[in-house]
Amino acid sequence: MRWFLPFILRFRTRPWLTAGVVKIEAENAEILAELYQKFQAGKIRFLIAFRHPEVEDPLCMLYLLSRLVPKAARQHGIKLQEPIHSHFIYERGMTIWAGNWLGWLFSRVGGVPVRRGRRVDRLAIQTARDLFANGKMPIAVAPEGGTNGHSGIVSPLEPGVAQLGFWCVEDLRKSDRTETVFIVPVAIQYRYVQPPWTKLNWLLSKLEADSGLAVQSISQSAINNSTEIYHQRICLLGEHLITEMEEFYRRFYHQDLPQIPNQTLIPRLHRLLDTSLKVTEQYFNIQAQGNFIDRCRRLEDAGWNYIYREDIADIHKLPPLKRGLADWIAEEADLRMQHMRIVESFVAITKTYLQEQPTSERFAETALLMYDMLTRIQDSTLPGRPSLGLRQVQITVGEPISVTERWEKAQNNRHAARQAASTLTQDLQTALENLIS
């Protein structure tokens, strides 16, 4: 994997060969080098909590650990034992849509699959807990739980990382071990090597045409200095898509979506996302609980249960009637899940993201999310995104957060322990946000 990594990052599995990552830099990589040295000396245990804006993040993390951390160690005279690597947790749905080969590969490079949803995956949790306390390598987790498509926005963190940290301290104390437990925030941000204004103009023109809007042309001389025009085009496209989807749910799913005069885009978008999830929840008979991300996780689990039937020992031995009904249910469940998939693409959209920094990267992120939506509607199988240009990655390692210190202050008090876990999650969120600000 280390030998192939630069080629994978550069080309990945897309038909366009200019879609890859050509440069990765790390700030404060010596922090991780020092932590690995102490880990290998048996003084500490630590978990790497990394941002997860894009699907390339795990590859970038592998590059960080295999190339940049050893380089920083050499520069600072820190002696480390090879390999510098980590276990990692990945969502089992990845192997469902990518294929069994991915599970075969992940199992051999330190991966632990976890099943998200209504039911607790006790085996995965126990495995991760044991590796955190006893593994020969640290463990890495994306506390956001999934990609959000934005280098500049951290989605709400799931509480599992903080809980793993406190469990690790407890497990060490039960074994009379004195290692200190840390969580290390790591931010990942993507930038285009050259601002992709020309290709962004092409992409917006394609989205306008595909959605039925008149294509707005920008003169060649104005392509690179018309941020206000790009902002207007994206807002107009967003309003058009929301209007179309509102009418779609009113007419065909009988949803109550009254037209409110002068209502701004973000409230309309949130109402639309809620409606999309309700349509899916009604089908799977699931009560809405939590935020948009929580609801998406529960629906994903419900959909997998309808498609990959654990109550059928051997589908090939079913009589034609039962096989046909099973296929029927699987097809309908897959179609219903597309409503949820659209919601996943827009959970991180905010009113001010483009206004605060009207950069080509942020315009491109938003346009690509719209592209995802339109392609999902046209085809349930999401194709590869179009390339807008070569990218470079900035990885920033934050200051380690001591879990042991917080556990000691909260032990023997159940309420204080719950509050400490909640505070740790919030502090980790703040740390990741500060690293990308």
Side-chain angles (χ1 to χ4, degrees):
M1 284 298 296
R2 292 186 178 194
W3 279 105
F4 284 111
L5 186 58
F7 302 99
I8 298 172
L9 283 167
R10 175 62 176 81
F11 299 117
R12 223 158 67 75
T13 54
R14 298 179 182 181
W16 300 273
L17 298 186
T18 56
V21 172
V22 294
K23 184 179 181 181
I24 301 177
E25 296 180 329
E27 184 177 348
N28 304 330
E30 68 276 6
I31 292 177
L32 275 177
E34 292 172 355
L35 289 171
Y36 267 96
Q37 184 184 53
K38 293 177 181 178
F39 180 95
Q40 293 173 352
K43 297 179 180 179
I44 67 170
R45 311 292 300 183
F46 69 91
L47 178 150
I48 302 172
F50 66 95
R51 274 235 54 214
H52 199 10
E54 301 284 354
V55 295
E56 289 87 357
D57 301 335
L59 296 174
C60 294
M61 288 299 300
L62 179 57
Y63 191 91
L64 169 68
L65 298 183
S66 65
R67 305 292 179 88
L68 301 182
V69 170
K71 179 181 178 181
R74 292 191 296 270
Q75 291 174 343
H76 290 80
I78 301 171
K79 294 184 178 181
L80 298 177
Q81 303 171 19
E82 290 287 345
I84 305 303
H85 191 58
S86 74
H87 293 283
F88 58 94
I89 296 177
Y90 68 94
E91 204 277 313
R92 67 131 183 179
M94 293 179 64
T95 60
I96 291 177
W97 58 258
N100 291 334
W101 70 270
L102 191 65
W104 178 91
L105 175 64
F106 281 176
S107 68
R108 284 157 177 77
V109 292
V112 178
V114 63
R115 177 175 182 162
R116 304 181 300 200
R118 293 174 291 174
R119 293 178 292 180
V120 176
D121 190 340
R122 299 187 184 280
L123 177 59
I125 291 174
Q126 187 57 46
T127 303
R129 180 173 178 174
D130 179 65
L131 289 172
F132 196 173
N134 304 306
K136 295 181 180 180
M137 300 179 292
I139 189 167
V141 181
E144 292 166 279
T147 62
N148 69 5
H150 294 291
S151 282
I153 297 178
V154 181
S155 294
L157 304 189
E158 298 182 359
V161 166
Q163 186 60 65
L164 280 174
F166 283 110
W167 279 339
C168 185
V169 178
E170 292 175 4
D171 293 341
L172 295 177
R173 292 302 171 89
K174 289 177 182 178
S175 301
D176 294 324
R177 292 163 57 184
T178 60
E179 297 103 308
T180 304
V181 178
F182 293 97
I183 292 176
V184 189
V186 175
I188 303 176
Q189 291 180 287
Y190 295 82
R191 297 285 184 270
Y192 288 96
V193 175
Q194 296 293 332
W197 294 114
T198 300
K199 290 189 176 181
L200 177 60
N201 177 52
W202 165 82
L203 178 58
L204 288 175
S205 297
K206 173 177 173 54
L207 295 177
E208 289 163 348
D210 289 350
S211 63
L213 283 174
V215 175
Q216 299 187 41
S217 59
I218 300 179
S219 65
Q220 193 64 35
S221 60
I223 280 180
N224 297 336
N225 56 3
S226 302
T227 57
E228 184 61 32
I229 296 177
Y230 286 108
H231 188 270
Q232 291 175 357
R233 291 176 73 180
I234 286 178
C235 289
L236 181 62
L237 181 60
E239 183 176 11
H240 177 72
L241 293 175
I242 290 173
T243 300
E244 288 289 326
M245 295 305 294
E246 286 175 338
E247 179 58 27
F248 171 72
Y249 283 113
R250 283 193 199 100
R251 180 178 178 184
F252 298 106
Y253 289 90
H254 318 294
Q255 298 297 306
D256 183 19
L257 291 168
Q259 296 181 350
I260 302 175
N262 302 320
Q263 188 178 29
T264 57
L265 279 183
I266 296 302
R268 286 180 65 191
L269 173 62
H270 288 170
R271 186 180 68 165
L272 180 61
L273 299 183
D274 178 65
T275 300
S276 297
L277 292 177
K278 283 181 179 177
V279 165
T280 316
E281 287 163 343
Q282 289 168 1
Y283 174 76
F284 289 113
N285 194 28
I286 293 177
Q287 294 296 319
Q289 294 181 10
N291 57 31
F292 287 148
I293 297 175
D294 296 332
R295 293 165 68 182
C296 286
R297 298 291 176 265
R298 289 162 56 83
L299 287 170
E300 181 180 57
D301 183 56
W304 293 145
N305 290 337
Y306 274 44
I307 297 171
Y308 301 93
R309 298 273 295 277
E310 295 181 355
D311 60 313
I312 300 176
D314 187 350
I315 196 168
H316 299 291
K317 293 182 179 180
L318 292 178
L321 172 61
K322 289 189 176 181
R323 174 61 186 264
L325 292 175
D327 287 343
W328 195 351
I329 289 298
E331 291 170 2
E332 188 168 3
D334 181 67
L335 186 58
R336 290 282 179 161
M337 287 175 69
Q338 298 310 312
H339 298 276
M340 179 271 294
R341 294 301 182 197
I342 291 175
V343 174
E344 281 185 321
S345 298
F346 293 98
V347 292
I349 294 289
T350 67
K351 177 181 179 181
T352 60
Y353 190 63
L354 296 180
Q355 296 174 344
E356 291 172 348
Q357 296 183 33
T359 62
S360 60
E361 280 84 8
R362 295 198 172 191
F363 286 132
E365 287 173 354
T366 306
L368 285 170
L369 291 176
M370 293 180 176
Y371 174 87
D372 290 345
M373 172 188 172
L374 287 174
T375 51
R376 282 195 186 279
I377 291 174
Q378 296 172 60
D379 188 343
S380 62
T381 302
L382 185 63
R385 284 176 164 187
S387 166
L388 299 186
L390 297 172
R391 294 186 298 170
Q392 55 192 8
V393 180
Q394 176 65 44
I395 302 176
T396 308
V397 181
E399 289 296 325
I401 301 172
S402 174
V403 183
T404 300
E405 180 180 332
R406 294 166 184 254
W407 180 87
E408 290 173 346
K409 292 179 180 179
Q411 64 173 324
N412 301 324
N413 187 319
R414 187 171 296 179
H415 174 73
R418 286 196 295 267
Q419 183 59 45
S422 176
T423 301
L424 176 56
T425 300
Q426 184 55 54
D427 289 347
L428 178 59
Q429 173 107 28
T430 300
L432 290 171
E433 290 172 347
N434 290 337
L435 290 176
I436 65 172
S437 64

